[in-house]
Amino acid sequence: IPDHYEDALSSVLIPHGVIMDRVEKLAKVIVQESTGPLVVCCVLKGGHQFFADLVNYIKKNVTRGGKTVPLSLEFIKVKSYSGETSGEVKLSLTEEECKDFAGKNILIVEDIIDTGKTMVQLLTKLKQYSPESVKVASLLIKKTPLSNGYIPDYVGFSIPNAFVVGYALDYNEYFRDLDHICVINDHGKQKYAVKN
Ligand code: PRP
Ligand code: MN
Ligand code: MG
């Protein structure tokens, strides 16, 4: 834990080594279940660390049958307007870039499913571009009464209803530079609150 976050956290929920072991296993399963080239699609910003490590393990992974899978990499920034009644998401990709999804096997890589709103809307948008298949890998799924019931195809860990940070998950853009997944404390919320 870096000094600047030492007094801002109440506990380490998932140590970095445990995350890495789980990501390695997920990579193996994904390769085993793949049916052809994959477009691995990172949901920025929170998904970037899981995406980077997952892609690395897929690259290193050779299953017992020697199965490998060619990857192409894509990055989307999803802007969610959850305050609005429509709750629509806006993709950072152009229409042209989205059209490239047609006929492809897409694997969306996300850090966390909280209410599930972001993912349900993202899937609705992507499916309009006629991909061959769309699967979702999320490192975390939160147990929350606000869940819309969405469950991803691949899940790293199911976590309690707490505000977690680290491994690219942020609080006001901070804590992405933390290796472990941790629970933030009240002092941390004040220390890294948005300042005007
Ligand atoms: C967070 C997280 C997921 C989404 C989950 O992203 O990374 O993308 O919220 O929430 P939901 O299931 O309730 O929709 P955020 O919008 O904070 O952007 P970021 O990834 O850039 O931090
Ligand atoms: Mn996100
Ligand atoms: Mg965020």
Side-chain angles (χ1 to χ4, degrees):
I1 310 271
D3 283 349
H4 51 271
Y5 293 143
E6 191 77 64
D7 61 355
L9 303 168
S10 60
S11 64
V12 176
L13 188 64
I14 316 172
H16 187 252
V18 176
I19 299 171
M20 296 302 276
D21 287 354
R22 184 73 186 122
V23 176
E24 183 173 19
K25 290 212 177 74
L26 286 175
K28 284 198 173 128
V29 175
I30 288 165
V31 171
Q32 274 159 7
E33 293 184 359
S34 66
T35 54
L38 272 185
V39 181
V40 190
C41 194
C42 176
V43 184
L44 295 171
K45 299 176 186 176
H48 97 265
Q49 192 65 62
F50 177 40
F51 173 88
D53 289 330
L54 186 69
V55 166
N56 253 324
Y57 279 123
I58 294 175
K59 277 155 59 176
K60 286 182 195 161
N61 180 69
V62 177
T63 60
R64 272 180 301 179
K67 186 176 176 186
T68 65
V69 58
L71 304 181
S72 57
L73 310 182
E74 197 57 75
F75 298 83
I76 344 175
K77 175 95 184 98
V78 178
K79 264 218 174 119
S80 171
Y81 302 99
S82 45
E84 294 171 27
T85 41
S86 64
E88 218 204 319
V89 299
K90 205 177 167 185
L91 299 188
S92 62
L93 297 182
T94 64
E95 193 69 14
E96 288 306 303
E97 288 169 317
C98 286
K99 281 179 181 162
D100 284 344
F101 288 134
K104 306 272 173 68
N105 292 300
I106 300 171
L107 177 69
I108 301 174
V109 179
E110 176 65 294
D111 55 346
I112 185 166
I113 306 294
D114 192 331
T115 65
K117 278 185 190 169
T118 301
M119 191 52 64
V120 164
Q121 289 161 33
L122 176 57
L123 286 170
T124 306
K125 284 243 153 149
L126 289 185
K127 282 173 183 170
Q128 289 166 6
Y129 296 94
S130 317
E132 171 72 19
S133 69
V134 186
K135 285 191 172 181
V136 175
S138 181
L139 182 66
L140 307 175
I141 184 166
K142 193 186 275 194
K143 291 179 209 138
T144 163
L146 299 179
S147 166
N148 63 7
Y150 174 76
I151 296 172
D153 302 274
Y154 305 101
V155 179
F157 304 92
S158 174
I159 63 163
N161 192 6
F163 200 102
V164 294
V165 293
Y167 197 72
L169 285 94
D170 74 304
Y171 172 73
N172 292 331
E173 299 301 328
Y174 290 100
F175 300 94
R176 297 197 202 270
D177 57 331
L178 173 66
D179 283 338
H180 318 288
I181 291 173
C182 298
V183 179
I184 188 172
N185 65 23
D186 288 340
H187 176 70
K189 284 184 186 168
Q190 283 168 29
K191 187 174 175 183
Y192 293 101
V194 185
K195 296 196 178 80
N196 300 304

